[in-house]
Amino acid sequence: MQKIEAIIQPGKLDAVKEALIEAGIEGITILEARGHGRQKGHTEFYRGREYAVDLLPKIKLETVVSDELAEKAVNAIIGAAQTGSIGDGKIFITRVDDAIRIRNEDRGEAAL
C-alpha cells in the first residue's frame, strides 16, 4: 500500500477530486493548509498599505491506495493540478505497512 499526499492549489481541488474518482480512488482526506515553496508568497495592498503574504492558501490531499493504483493516482493528480507555473504543488509517496478499519477490524488492503 502507498500513501499519497499532494499539496495543490485550492482552485484545482474539484478537478483533482474528479480525476481521482475516475481513476478508481474511493477514499480521500482533504485539509486546508497554508505554506509556500519557491514562490515565497507575494505582496498585497490593503487600505493604502503594503503587506507581505508569505503563507499562501493550499489544499493537502491524502489517500492510501494499493500498490497497483499508486501510479494511476499520481498521474490523475498531476493531470488535473498541473498548470506549468510555480506553485502547482508537490506529491509525496510513502509506504504504508498496515491499515486497520476501526469498525470491523479489517486489515491491510481490505481496510481501504
Side-chain angles (χ1 to χ4, degrees):
M1 292 179 292
Q2 308 274 340
K3 180 178 184 180
I4 300 171
E5 298 175 86
I7 310 296
I8 61 170
Q9 295 179 8
K12 294 293 185 176
L13 175 58
D14 290 336
V16 170
K17 275 188 347 190
E18 289 175 20
L20 286 171
I21 290 168
E22 287 177 18
I25 310 304
E26 296 177 350
I28 58 174
T29 300
I30 297 168
L31 305 161
E32 292 182 10
R34 298 181 82 63
H36 70 80
R38 288 187 180 163
Q39 82 269 36
K40 305 276 193 270
H42 61 275
T43 57
E44 289 184 2
F45 286 93
Y46 178 71
R47 295 189 178 183
R49 298 189 68 178
E50 186 176 16
Y51 293 92
V53 179
D54 58 352
L55 295 176
L56 302 173
K58 301 288 183 183
I59 296 293
K60 182 178 181 183
L61 182 135
E62 298 179 353
T63 186
V64 177
V65 298
S66 65
D67 292 335
E68 295 80 30
L69 283 178
E71 196 61 33
K72 196 172 183 182
V74 168
N75 290 333
I77 294 168
I78 291 171
Q82 187 177 56
T83 67
S85 301
I86 291 176
D88 277 353
K90 294 249 187 330
I91 299 173
F92 304 97
I93 303 168
T94 53
R95 185 103 189 106
V96 174
D97 293 328
D98 202 3
I100 303 165
R101 179 176 287 129
I102 295 172
R103 175 175 43 94
N104 58 10
E105 299 181 35
D106 283 347
R107 294 183 82 97
E109 289 189 17
L112 300 180

